[in-house]
Amino acid sequence: MKKVIIQLGTLTCPSCMQKIEQAVKQQAGVAKVKVLFNSSKVKAEIDPDLTDPEKLANAIEALGYDVQGTKMKELS
């Protein structure tokens, strides 16, 4: 498993968080996802054999939200 952090543009309401969380959860290979409203970040644990940060970013952008960057690292 790997940890993915996706930096978003500013989130304006809590319902945005829920929409993004649901979209990311629906992607194959996502074990956990948490949207941090105050810092406008998405943190997810993924199976890199099934998905990657780009696929998660594309799912978020398809909802109309701005993705400013992604990072992936090993879970310790």
Side-chain angles (χ1 to χ4, degrees), residues 1-8 19-35 41-73:
M1 297 297 275
K2 300 225 181 205
K3 183 176 187 177
V4 174
I5 300 171
I6 301 172
Q7 182 64 54
L8 304 172
K19 288 178 189 175
I20 292 168
E21 229 170 64
Q22 289 173 356
V24 173
K25 276 183 191 176
Q26 291 176 355
Q27 301 301 305
V30 175
K32 292 182 185 178
V33 62
K34 175 92 174 147
V35 178
K41 289 183 182 173
V42 177
K43 293 185 177 183
E45 290 181 18
I46 66 165
D47 179 340
D49 293 332
L50 299 174
T51 194
D52 58 49
E54 187 176 323
K55 289 179 183 173
L56 303 185
N58 289 341
I60 294 167
E61 288 175 331
L63 296 173
Y65 298 102
D66 182 36
V67 173
Q68 297 180 345
T70 63
K71 286 191 263 184
M72 188 165 71
K73 58 185 177 181

Side-chain angles (χ1 to χ4, degrees), residues 7-18 20-21 34-43 65:
Q7 182 64 54
L8 304 172
T10 304
L11 295 176
T12 57
C13 64
S15 68
C16 298
M17 272 181 7
Q18 293 169 340
I20 292 168
E21 229 170 64
K34 175 92 174 147
V35 178
L36 306 173
F37 184 75
N38 291 337
S39 60
S40 297
K41 289 183 182 173
V42 177
K43 293 185 177 183
Y65 298 102

